[in-house]
Amino acid sequence: MAIVYFLTITFAFQQGNIILFSLLIAGEVFHLFQIIGYCYTVWSDKLTAIRDFNFDEPVDVFITVCGEPVEIVRETAEAALAMYYKGSVGVYLLNDGYVAKKDNWQEIELLATELGINCITRRTPGGAKAGNINNGLRQTSNQYFVVFDADHVPHASFLREVMGYFVDPKMGFVQTPQYYKNQNENNITQVAWRQQTLFFGPIMSGKNRLNSAFMCGTNMAIRRSAILEAGGMCEFNIAEDFLTSLFIHEKGWKSVYIPKVLAEGLAPEDFLNYYKQQFRWTRGSLEVIFKYNPLLRRGLRLSQKLQYLISASYYLSGVVVLIDAMLPIIFLFTGITTIITSTTTLALIFIPYMFLNLYTLQKTSNFSYTFGAISFSLSSFVLQINALFAVLTNQKTTFSVTSKSQVQGNFLHMVKPQIGYIILTIIGTGIGLLR
């Protein structure tokens, strides 16, 4: 249906203003690429990787800490100690509190002593979370390691479910979902989780058959030799996990995603932290396109190149959303049209197209992708454009840890462009009616 819609508006309808028409078609080409890419990705979610539940190689557990409340870290550390596994397990708190000038960095060391686990406190800054993990790798030796963010509490079965996949000598890393246990806290947490259900549901599951599942920063197990061959955890991109995955795949290693919740973390509870988190993911992903274009990486198969490009290019949606949003505003204020056709004719092709798109999203996500998630995604166009501008102008963006508690404040200033658009729509509607 997407192809029919594209061909219809491109060739069947009479063109209006050539500039606006060109912008419309450019946007529709992007939409078509994303739709076909999504369908190609989620076509099959069959998991075929081999697993041996008797796998018992020693493993290190890294819990990355950077100023999170001690009680949150305690819960994660105690859960890590409670994981059952046939092999030996070493638990480490990778403490970045000192280099990040956090007040509680010494409390983290005391917590490690109390629990009888290891604490590696960095004294030399650099590389943010990636640098913290690399520092931990330099001071440990086991061939396998697991990474948890400070707030992601592993289930007791985590190692048993995950480590057996490393029986394949080419398995580089294993990723599991990021599940938000506070998803019902407020509207922000609900939306944050609903957005995750699409990604950690059909999208990541579909990447398995293409050996393109990538690391997502936490709840993951990694083979040391694989990440060292890729140059360590990438320290020059704020979405370090995404780019590091590309480098690992480029070296011929495999990956697998397990679509089973094996750890539970915390979603951002306020709009400020939600914005920061989304900006970090957007900026890091767009850098992959413009600085490490997957299509130009020699070690990747074509299917892997396309998967990385599809995932990263999603964040170009902001530009397309802006174009699509401004075309009717221009018409309302000026009367200049993009295409010349009747409203009824356009509706006959547009409504089925949109219905099938939304139904496909709902069907493949088990009807968990809500209107709130869609509206937040579309409303993020300003954030995505800001991130794109930052990448193109090579602005420096620092890694910011998502706060584990709700930040109070008035964040209305962060949605001024969206409010401005609503005002323009109201005024434009009045002008259009008068015309």
Side-chain angles (χ1 to χ4, degrees):
M1 188 64 201
I3 296 175
V4 172
Y5 173 75
F6 174 77
L7 293 175
T8 300
I9 65 169
T10 303
F11 301 108
F13 291 160
Q14 183 180 347
Q15 297 179 14
N17 181 275
I18 186 61
I19 296 176
L20 298 184
F21 180 77
S22 298
L23 288 174
L24 173 66
I25 297 305
E28 292 305 325
V29 168
F30 175 82
H31 287 313
L32 188 61
F33 172 71
Q34 287 290 311
I35 291 169
I36 293 175
Y38 179 79
C39 293
Y40 171 61
T41 301
V42 306
W43 191 258
S44 173
D45 61 358
K46 187 176 181 181
L47 180 58
T48 59
I50 59 174
R51 175 169 56 171
D52 182 0
F53 284 108
N54 293 316
F55 188 88
D56 61 357
E57 292 294 317
V59 58
D60 293 322
V61 176
F62 292 165
I63 301 171
T64 57
V65 183
C66 188
E68 291 85 353
V70 173
E71 288 310 308
I72 286 180
V73 181
R74 176 190 295 276
E75 184 181 6
T76 302
E78 289 178 342
L81 288 169
M83 291 187 295
Y84 48 81
Y85 181 62
K86 291 183 177 182
S88 62
V89 179
V91 179
Y92 295 82
L93 299 183
L94 303 189
N95 184 12
D96 244 9
Y98 176 82
V99 296
K101 296 180 173 57
K102 302 295 183 180
D103 294 335
N104 69 342
W105 69 271
Q106 290 177 308
E107 295 178 47
I108 299 301
E109 292 186 331
L110 292 173
L111 174 64
T113 301
E114 176 190 339
L115 297 179
I117 60 178
N118 307 284
C119 183
I120 300 176
T121 301
R122 268 211 299 176
R123 303 287 173 168
T124 304
K129 178 182 174 181
N132 194 13
I133 293 174
N134 287 334
N135 184 61
L137 284 173
R138 287 191 290 269
Q139 300 188 49
T140 55
S141 59
N142 281 333
Q143 175 66 358
Y144 305 94
F145 67 99
V146 171
V147 178
F148 297 113
D149 282 351
D151 62 303
H152 281 262
V153 181
H155 292 183
S157 60
F158 185 93
L159 292 177
R160 182 177 182 276
E161 293 281 354
V162 167
M163 296 307 298
Y165 288 101
F166 288 107
V167 70
D168 184 342
K170 291 301 293 181
M171 185 61 65
F173 61 87
V174 182
Q175 179 66 54
T176 71
Q178 288 187 28
Y179 175 81
Y180 295 148
K181 60 185 176 183
N182 65 333
Q183 59 180 279
N184 294 320
E185 186 71 23
N186 56 42
N187 288 335
I188 299 294
T189 58
Q190 288 177 3
V191 167
W193 168 242
R194 292 305 175 187
Q195 288 180 316
Q196 294 282 68
T197 60
L198 186 66
F199 176 73
F200 284 111
I203 293 176
M204 281 291 281
S205 294
K207 290 179 181 292
N208 271 332
R209 83 178 195 281
L210 304 166
N211 190 30
S212 300
F214 51 80
M215 294 187 292
C216 301
T218 183
N219 311 340
M220 59 189 184
I222 306 170
R223 187 188 296 265
R224 177 186 291 264
S225 55
I227 199 167
L228 292 183
E229 186 179 354
M233 190 65 75
C234 175
E235 297 186 19
F236 42 85
N237 182 287
I238 57 175
E240 77 291 333
D241 40 16
F242 186 48
L243 188 53
T244 303
S245 301
L246 187 152
F247 292 156
I248 291 175
H249 281 137
E250 194 175 37
K251 297 297 183 180
W253 293 95
K254 297 179 182 178
S255 66
V256 67
Y257 170 70
I258 306 174
K260 183 177 182 178
V261 175
L262 296 172
E264 301 181 18
L266 298 173
E269 295 185 356
D270 58 85
F271 191 71
L272 177 62
N273 277 290
Y274 172 84
Y275 184 97
K276 288 181 177 179
Q277 184 187 71
Q278 293 294 317
F279 184 86
R280 184 172 72 243
W281 294 347
T282 303
R283 168 73 192 266
S285 297
L286 290 176
E287 277 194 355
V288 170
I289 295 177
F290 292 100
K291 294 185 178 181
Y292 310 95
N293 194 306
L295 296 179
L296 305 179
R297 311 300 297 193
R298 293 187 176 181
L300 299 176
R301 300 200 307 264
L302 177 60
S303 60
Q304 292 175 312
K305 292 180 179 183
L306 290 174
Q307 283 298 304
Y308 275 102
L309 184 64
I310 291 166
S311 294
S313 63
Y314 162 77
Y315 293 103
L316 292 171
S317 297
V319 176
V320 180
V321 170
L322 179 62
I323 292 172
D324 290 342
M326 291 309 299
L327 291 178
I329 294 294
I330 292 172
F331 170 73
L332 289 173
F333 276 89
T334 67
I336 299 175
T337 60
T338 306
I339 54 177
I340 301 173
T341 186
S342 68
T343 303
T344 302
T345 303
L346 181 60
L348 285 174
I349 187 68
F350 180 75
I351 292 176
Y353 163 68
M354 286 304 300
F355 173 80
L356 286 176
N357 279 349
L358 293 173
Y359 180 76
T360 300
L361 283 177
Q362 292 288 57
K363 181 67 175 179
T364 55
S365 64
N366 198 27
F367 295 90
S368 62
Y369 198 57
T370 63
F371 174 77
I374 295 173
S375 61
F376 262 61
S377 296
L378 292 174
S379 298
S380 296
F381 73 93
V382 178
L383 176 157
Q384 293 165 352
I385 291 172
N386 288 339
L388 176 61
F389 181 77
V391 170
L392 296 177
T393 57
N394 205 30
Q395 293 180 13
K396 185 176 181 180
T397 303
T398 57
F399 184 93
S400 177
V401 177
T402 304
S403 175
K404 302 305 180 287
S405 59
Q406 186 172 347
V407 176
Q408 301 294 330
N410 185 346
F411 306 120
L412 194 62
H413 65 280
M414 301 179 70
V415 292
K416 285 182 179 179
Q418 289 85 347
I419 294 173
Y421 180 77
I422 294 172
I423 294 172
L424 278 176
T425 302
I426 294 172
I427 296 173
T429 300
I431 292 174
L433 289 172
L434 290 174
R435 188 186 312 111

